[in-house]
Amino acid sequence: MTLAATAAHAALAAHPAPSGFLSPTGVEIAFLLVGIATLGAALVTVTTKQLVHAALWLVVALGGLAVEYLLLTAEFIAWVQVLIYVGSVVVLLLFGLMLTRAPIGRSPDADSGNRWAALAVAVAAAGALVWVVVDAFRTTWIDLDGPAQGSTEATGSFLFRHWVLPFEALSVLLLAALVGAIVLSRKRGKEQS
């Protein structure tokens, strides 16, 4: 063996090849398993006929998304997911169900019989979403010189620069939904009295 071949062999042994498709890392395996569990919880959320069970499965699906963010090392986004979606939106949904006295058990009126039309619309919407995202990010490059993409600094500056108005509109919408649930529960209480 020549000296150059020995040096090249030693360099390869010192720096092993990065893991590829056929040799996934533990984080990639965990990401896949949590993703499958999250997808399963989301499917149960939209297919169950019990509203309270749907809300509780939504908690599992949103919690799974938070774990996915943690696996992507975006800790800030993961905690925002837990605090805002799991902590606030689902609690608001459960309060709305309780205040409007929605049926706890199976709801016969929750199924309209339009499952095939809903499936076609869902598949078309998912296809359009995938196409839009792939088209939008085809020429997008990540700036590796700036702050980390999942960091608090990068996320905060992006949110407050571009997405302040939609977040405020969402908070007004959630407040209106809560007020509407209270108004509906009071009207039913007066009708029963």
Side-chain angles (χ1 to χ4, degrees), residues 50-69:
Q50 297 184 1
L51 294 176
V52 175
H53 288 180
L56 295 176
W57 279 108
L58 182 63
V59 169
V60 174
L62 294 175
L65 284 176
V67 172
E68 296 283 39
Y69 287 132

Side-chain angles (χ1 to χ4, degrees), residues 125-140:
L129 180 64
V130 167
W131 180 74
V132 166
V133 169
V134 167
D135 187 53
F137 290 107
R138 182 174 296 145
T139 59
T140 301

Side-chain angles (χ1 to χ4, degrees), residues 76-77 146-164 167:
F76 177 71
I77 302 295
Q149 290 299 314
S151 69
T152 308
E153 177 186 354
T155 305
S157 67
F158 186 76
L159 287 179
F160 287 120
R161 190 173 298 144
H162 302 290
W163 295 99
V164 170
F167 274 105

Side-chain angles (χ1 to χ4, degrees), residues 89-103:
V89 173
V90 174
V91 169
L92 184 65
L93 178 69
L94 289 173
F95 274 130
L97 288 173
M98 288 187 293
L99 288 173
T100 57
R101 295 189 180 94

Side-chain angles (χ1 to χ4, degrees), residues 7-185:
H9 185 42
L12 284 176
H15 300 290
S19 62
F21 176 72
L22 296 176
S23 59
T25 64
V27 173
E28 292 170 344
I29 293 171
F31 189 86
L32 180 67
L33 293 176
V34 171
I36 291 170
T38 303
L39 179 64
L43 287 174
V44 172
T45 299
V46 297
T47 57
T48 186
K49 292 185 179 184
Q50 297 184 1
L51 294 176
V52 175
H53 288 180
L56 295 176
W57 279 108
L58 182 63
V59 169
V60 174
L62 294 175
L65 284 176
V67 172
E68 296 283 39
Y69 287 132
L70 281 176
L71 291 172
L72 291 172
T73 66
E75 294 87 6
F76 177 71
I77 302 295
W79 288 116
V80 167
Q81 173 82 14
V82 169
L83 291 175
I84 292 177
Y85 288 105
V86 177
S88 301
V89 173
V90 174
V91 169
L92 184 65
L93 178 69
L94 289 173
F95 274 130
L97 288 173
M98 288 187 293
L99 288 173
T100 57
R101 295 189 180 94
I104 300 297
R106 292 191 176 269
S107 303
D109 58 343
D111 190 11
S112 66
N114 295 326
R115 287 183 183 213
W116 294 109
L119 179 65
V121 170
V123 167
L129 180 64
V130 167
W131 180 74
V132 166
V133 169
V134 167
D135 187 53
F137 290 107
R138 182 174 296 145
T139 59
T140 301
W141 299 95
I142 297 174
D143 181 21
L144 296 177
D145 296 330
Q149 290 299 314
S151 69
T152 308
E153 177 186 354
T155 305
S157 67
F158 186 76
L159 287 179
F160 287 120
R161 190 173 298 144
H162 302 290
W163 295 99
V164 170
L165 188 59
F167 274 105
E168 293 300 323
L170 180 64
S171 66
V172 170
L173 179 70
L174 291 174
L175 180 64
L178 183 60
V179 170
I182 292 171
V183 168
L184 286 174
S185 68

